[in-house]
Amino acid sequence: MRIRTYEATIQQHYHADKKPAWDIGAGLIPGEMHLAAGQEPVAVGLCANLRDDDAITAPHRPHHLALAKGVDMQAMTAEIYGRTTGLGKGRGGHMHLFDPSQHFSCSGIIAEGMPVAVGQAMAFRHKGLDSVAVGVAGEGAANQGAFYEAMNLASIWSLPVVFIVEDNDWAISVPRDSATPVKDGSVRASAFGMPGERVEGNDVERIYEACKRAVERARGGGGPTLLEVHTVRLWGHFEGDAQAYRGEELAEKQQQDPIALYEARLRADGLLDDAAVAEIAATAQAEVDAAIAFALASPEPSPADLLQYVYA
Amino acid sequence: MTATVETATGQRRLTTAKAISEGIAQEMRVNPDVFVMGEDVGPYGGIFGSTGGLIDEFGPKRIIDTPISETGFIGAGIGAATEGMRPIVELMFVDFFGVAMDQIYNHMAKIHFESGGNVKVPMVLMTAVGGGYSDAAQHSQCLWATFAHMPGLKVVAPSNPHDAKGLMIAAIRDDNPVLFMFHKGVMGLPWMAKNPRSIGPVPEEAYEVPIGKAAVPHPGTDVTVVSVSMSVQHCLDVAESLEGKVSVEVLDLRTIAPLDREAILASVSKTGRLVIVDEDYRSFGLSGEVVATITDHDPRLLKVPVQRVAYPDVPVPYARGLEYAALPTRDKIEAAIMQAMKG
Ligand SMILES: Cc1ncc(C[n+]2csc(CCOP(=O)(O)OP(=O)(O)O)c2C)c(N)n1
């Protein structure tokens, strides 16, 4: 709910000042914007099993994972607004969020976070820690060579890594089945001698259980696991994507909004009522609004500082 | 060297994106060995429109959507080319070159040489370059010098629709691997702010713009401004605004490798003043190479020090104010011209 509120509010603000002619470079939040509506259960189910000292390398669609991991919402929002108080002091932007305190990072280059997770796991082991590194990528990214090299390394060295594939059925306009020859991508784990599991249903509780097994295995020295989670992309690949290629599937997927479905289930079980839903929504909105207010009140970087941070 | 901009026969005006896809379509009609392969080149029509509409005419056997596997499909393009096909492979953003650099640097560029000229790689690697819309460090670079540095690769970067179509056709017909680098800002996209120069007259028939030949879209006598791609549009704006004050000669390189050194020397011999405008990184790149072209030949051609308006040695920042502090903008170009005129 908190994540969805964040994504929906960013979506509103992103588009608000790109009118009348939609210009990707205009407005308070310029550039590409990949939002994760529909994929919240993956982030929540995973991160409920993680500690602050565990690491995540996220892909170009990172907000849900960042927020669930515990990345500071205000600093992340300030980064998305290109402000000096942002995670990267306005240098990185929405695809390049780095929070060392949460061992969180992301990259706009597909699958390239996977080998980085392997290296983080090496560091954890070297330091005698029981932290776990999680590499997250889309099902489209899972056809990139780096992904396989990373799985091979993690397996031969039996490293504490969890590889998670978020299968949202689409890589921009390319449907999953035209790019991936197996229905269950987790079978690929067997080629690297590690367990693999596909989780259907975009159900936060099942995702939580699967991640729990994988994280415990990694933390206990059992080595890496590959999880493929079947999720949904409710919105465009990036904001401004007309999605003509999706046809009727797009409307069908709106019926599978995991937040609405989970809310209905909790209500049916008597665990949620109107008052509780209203309170959760209000709390989330207030937190997001405060983060945006923080960003807007923060200074923009000075052009005089252009050459800062190139070298350590 | 072409003395002035080629006269366009047709009055029909196209965006650069449309001009590119038209050039590809015309070659595909006459040559069954030409095909297109890349991410989202099919029904989506290319993220920047370079393959718009091609799937409707040629179908998915010749306009092939690939998985996100650049090493795989760029390598496959090379293999198809060595067996006589003429693949046009799209790398969605040049910034993704890293995941496939071995195929590009060690295979695409070198096979012809290593085979003693016995094996050709007639392939076009088409890719989007450039920034200006806050896409940050991994989606905004130009990097033409990175590719031009490798012997065996030809590198072109058009600044307008006319040249884009002609260079694409020349690239397809060329027996060498050609990097066709289109700046997002010149494509004339409906969802990005654009210079009117991104839409222009394009002849209907198929024609070539020769690879390795610069053009002089704005002749002048006081100062030579050498540029390429998107920056040429800014240079032309500045040159026009200075008319009556400074006579600026704008040289649009159009091709980075092989560089049209004769055109550079001819213009600087005339003006004695040189400004270089380059959206690629300043150090170890195109702007230095242009200077070396003069100094290797005769440094005395220069009456005043060279002005370089190039991308400072910093990754592309996200925040708009920082990015524009780095980009070669019109005010920086004008200031450099005025500085050159002081001497
Ligand atoms: C190496 C590389 N190739 C291509 C891209 C362009 N690109 C960005 S996102 C994307 C689709 C990714 O699909 P998927 O991995 O399934 O993740 P999703 O967007 O569906 O979350 C592509 C092709 C890129 N960023 N990096």
Side-chain angles (χ1 to χ4, degrees):
Chain A
M1 190 71 203
R2 180 171 169 260
I3 296 170
R4 178 64 59 81
T5 306
Y6 190 82
E7 298 293 62
T9 311
I10 290 288
Q11 186 183 45
Q12 251 174 35
H13 286 252
Y14 179 79
H15 289 285
D17 47 11
K18 290 188 176 56
K19 292 169 186 163
W22 201 86
D23 170 7
I24 187 171
L28 287 169
I29 312 177
E32 280 185 77
M33 181 54 64
H34 311 82
L35 299 174
Q39 301 181 198
E40 298 90 345
V42 188
V44 173
L46 166 66
C47 293
N49 289 290
L50 298 182
R51 309 186 308 225
D52 289 355
D53 59 313
D54 293 327
I56 292 186
T57 60
H60 57 288
R61 195 182 302 290
H63 300 173
H64 58 320
L65 294 158
L67 291 174
K69 180 70 174 66
V71 171
D72 180 69
M73 188 189 279
Q74 300 207 341
M76 166 176 157
T77 307
E79 186 59 29
I80 293 169
Y81 277 82
R83 305 300 168 119
T84 52
T85 52
L87 290 170
K89 305 188 179 76
R91 271 71 178 176
H94 121 97
M95 280 188 278
H96 317 111
L97 305 170
F98 294 84
D99 181 353
S101 71
Q102 281 293 334
H103 302 265
F104 182 89
S105 64
C106 56
S107 168
I109 310 294
I110 290 304
E112 293 298 308
M114 297 310 213
V116 175
V118 171
Q120 289 176 310
M122 291 173 79
F124 295 154
R125 173 183 291 170
H126 178 78
K127 293 181 182 170
L129 304 173
D130 69 346
S131 315
V132 170
V134 184
V136 185
E139 91 294 337
N143 291 313
Q144 183 71 255
F147 184 48
Y148 298 96
E149 296 184 22
M151 285 201 287
N152 194 53
L153 290 177
S155 187
I156 56 170
W157 296 330
S158 197
L159 288 167
V161 184
V162 179
F163 297 99
I164 299 208
V165 173
E166 292 183 279
D167 175 7
N168 63 11
D169 290 319
W170 291 97
I172 312 185
S173 72
V174 177
R176 177 199 196 276
D177 292 346
S178 73
T180 304
V182 286
K183 285 269 171 245
D184 176 353
S186 74
V187 301
R188 289 163 160 179
S190 69
F192 301 96
M194 67 171 85
E197 186 179 344
R198 180 169 164 97
V199 186
E200 286 291 350
N202 206 21
D203 170 1
V204 67
E205 292 178 13
R206 274 152 75 179
I207 296 167
Y208 171 79
E209 291 301 333
C211 290
K212 188 171 158 68
R213 287 188 285 277
V215 170
E216 280 176 359
R217 180 168 188 273
R219 211 184 292 292
T225 303
L226 170 63
L227 295 179
E228 182 172 82
V229 183
H230 195 196
T231 183
V232 292
R233 197 185 91 194
L234 289 176
W235 300 343
H237 171 74
F238 31 47
E239 289 306 301
D241 176 3
Q243 305 195 78
Y245 53 85
R246 280 183 85 167
E248 285 170 13
E249 182 260 3
L250 182 58
E252 284 161 22
K253 282 287 158 64
Q254 306 307 311
Q255 306 309 310
Q256 296 174 24
D257 181 337
I259 300 211
L261 294 176
Y262 196 56
E263 181 185 323
R265 196 162 106 201
L266 293 179
R267 279 175 184 270
D269 292 349
L271 295 169
L272 264 188
D273 57 16
D274 287 349
V277 171
E279 194 196 317
I280 292 169
T283 310
Q285 193 64 56
E287 188 190 3
V288 174
D289 291 346
I292 291 175
F294 171 78
L296 289 173
S298 300
E300 292 177 28
S302 161
D305 296 335
L306 174 63
L307 299 182
Q308 274 185 358
Y309 312 121
V310 176
Y311 293 106
Chain B
M1 165 184 167
T2 325
T4 53
V5 67
E6 277 104 346
T7 48
T9 50
Q11 282 310 301
R12 195 183 54 132
R13 296 168 64 77
L14 297 182
T15 63
T16 299
K18 182 73 193 114
I20 292 172
S21 62
E22 181 174 280
I24 295 173
Q26 287 174 336
E27 287 305 287
M28 287 186 73
R29 276 175 214 138
V30 296
N31 188 344
D33 293 333
V34 179
F35 70 100
V36 179
M37 169 161 71
E39 293 156 19
D40 304 277
V41 298
Y44 200 104
I47 294 298
F48 303 102
S50 54
T51 58
L54 296 180
I55 187 94
D56 301 327
E57 180 175 354
F58 301 104
K61 288 218 170 88
R62 294 183 73 195
I63 307 294
I64 304 169
D65 264 344
T66 61
I68 310 170
S69 308
E70 286 85 358
T71 291
F73 67 77
I74 292 175
I78 295 168
T82 60
E83 294 299 327
M85 307 277 296
R86 289 190 176 260
I88 302 165
V89 178
E90 181 164 278
L91 175 65
M92 190 187 290
F93 288 70
V94 73
D95 313 72
F96 310 156
F97 76 106
V99 303
M101 202 53 169
D102 181 69
Q103 291 296 339
I104 300 169
Y105 248 52
N106 280 327
H107 296 86
M108 195 169 96
K110 292 178 182 160
I111 285 175
H112 183 261
F113 176 77
E114 290 168 328
S115 70
N118 287 325
V119 181
K120 294 189 176 67
V121 189
M123 154 171 178
V124 182
L125 183 58
M126 160 164 82
T127 189
V129 304
Y133 62 104
S134 295
D135 217 356
Q138 298 177 340
H139 289 75
S140 302
Q141 303 169 99
C142 287
L143 298 183
W144 33 67
T146 303
F147 297 94
H149 189 62
M150 173 50 64
L153 297 178
K154 293 187 176 182
V155 182
V156 303
S159 68
N160 61 68
H162 172 273
D163 289 354
K165 177 172 168 180
L167 282 170
M168 174 52 79
I169 291 174
I172 295 170
R173 294 178 186 170
D174 200 289
D175 277 342
N176 296 283
V178 180
L179 262 119
F180 185 96
M181 308 181 89
F182 58 79
H183 196 294
K184 297 149 217 168
V186 310
M187 293 298 267
L189 299 167
W191 44 273
M192 198 180 278
K194 59 184 157 295
N195 190 310
R197 299 182 196 278
S198 298
I199 303 175
V202 177
E204 309 236 359
E205 70 278 6
Y207 60 93
E208 288 185 40
V209 166
I211 294 174
K213 293 283 177 215
V216 183
H218 192 279
T221 50
D222 291 336
V223 53
T224 299
V225 178
V226 173
S227 190
V228 71
S229 185
M230 179 73 205
S231 297
V232 172
Q233 299 192 352
H234 304 320
C235 293
L236 289 172
D237 290 344
V238 173
E240 286 174 8
S241 74
L242 291 177
E243 273 167 19
K245 273 192 269 179
V246 184
S247 173
V248 178
E249 176 144 301
V250 178
L251 189 73
D252 179 354
L253 291 172
R254 305 195 292 191
T255 297
I256 292 133
L259 188 61
D260 189 349
R261 298 184 196 272
E262 280 172 31
I264 297 167
L265 289 169
S267 182
V268 175
S269 302
K270 186 169 67 174
T271 63
R273 294 186 175 84
L274 176 60
V275 175
I276 305 161
V277 183
D278 182 13
E279 197 185 316
D280 199 0
Y281 300 118
R282 177 183 176 97
S283 297
F284 314 105
L286 175 64
S287 59
E289 191 60 34
V290 171
V291 176
T293 300
I294 310 287
T295 52
D296 286 354
H297 178 80
D298 183 358
R300 290 164 303 183
L301 289 182
L302 291 166
K303 293 188 243 178
V304 293
V306 175
Q307 297 291 320
R308 284 201 270 168
V309 185
Y311 211 92
D313 296 319
V314 58
V316 179
Y318 166 65
R320 188 185 294 118
L322 287 178
E323 185 179 16
Y324 274 83
L327 282 168
T329 49
R330 290 183 196 86
D331 50 340
K332 285 183 210 134
I333 297 167
E334 181 169 336
I337 291 172
M338 296 327 275
Q339 184 63 33
M341 289 310 295
K342 275 191 192 151

